[in-house]
Amino acid sequence: MSGETERVVRLARLVEVQSRKRQMEEWRLGALKREAVQLVETSAEILASLGEQSLLNGLFLEGRASALRRNEGLIVRNRSAQDHAEADLNAARGIEKRLERAAGDAAEAAARVREQESLLSALDDFLTTRSASFE
């Protein structure tokens, strides 16, 4: 296998690995978004439970307020994690695109080398048969 062909194979493996990394980042971002939806729903449930329907509501007010503050802190951390995951995903996409371009360029170079070798082989065969006919 020529050096160009080996490079094409290596770059193809790198593109595959980078594609998997991008998928993992997409899954992580999706999980964080689902978690954010759950946290917002939890906050809505806590706020809805603060209604005036129960006479004992005042006894649990401090606990619910504490749970709401804790949940809001989780929402803030989740949003920060989403921002970080989006940045990682964009970086992974950029690396994947650059690797795809490099793999395409390497494939073109390998094709040119193969074509050149084929043409040189055909030329050698032609010249060998011509010199044999002169003898």
Side-chain angles (χ1 to χ4, degrees):
M1 207 184 317
S2 72
E4 292 295 325
T5 307
E6 289 176 10
R7 184 168 185 255
V8 168
V9 170
R10 280 194 318 266
L11 284 172
R13 280 196 317 255
L14 284 174
V15 167
E16 184 178 333
V17 167
Q18 190 60 37
S19 174
R20 300 243 188 233
K21 284 178 72 175
R22 178 192 42 83
Q23 277 181 336
M24 289 175 60
E25 292 298 334
E26 287 173 349
W27 292 339
R28 186 171 71 124
L29 181 60
L32 286 170
K33 287 184 178 184
R34 286 189 297 278
E35 181 184 339
V37 168
Q38 289 175 345
L39 290 171
V40 168
E41 288 173 355
T42 302
S43 289
E45 289 173 5
I46 293 171
L47 288 173
S49 72
L50 293 176
E52 298 178 9
Q53 67 273 14
S54 174
L55 295 173
L56 298 175
N57 198 20
L59 296 175
F60 303 108
L61 188 61
E62 185 61 35
R64 289 183 182 151
S66 173
L68 189 59
R69 278 192 297 271
R70 195 172 38 250
N71 201 46
E72 292 301 318
L74 291 173
I75 289 173
V76 168
R77 275 190 243 127
N78 179 277
R79 185 64 218 156
S80 173
Q82 279 187 41
D83 292 341
H84 186 68
E86 285 175 358
D88 289 347
L89 178 59
N90 289 335
R93 284 178 178 158
I95 291 169
E96 184 180 13
K97 287 296 179 190
R98 286 191 295 276
L99 281 173
E100 285 174 352
R101 275 190 231 113
D105 293 345
E108 288 176 12
R112 282 193 303 273
V113 167
R114 280 193 305 272
E115 184 177 353
Q116 183 181 16
E117 289 171 354
S118 172
L119 289 173
L120 288 173
S121 174
L123 183 61
D124 283 344
D125 290 344
F126 175 74
L127 292 175
T128 302
T129 56
R130 292 283 285 178
S131 66
S133 68
F134 287 132
E135 291 177 0

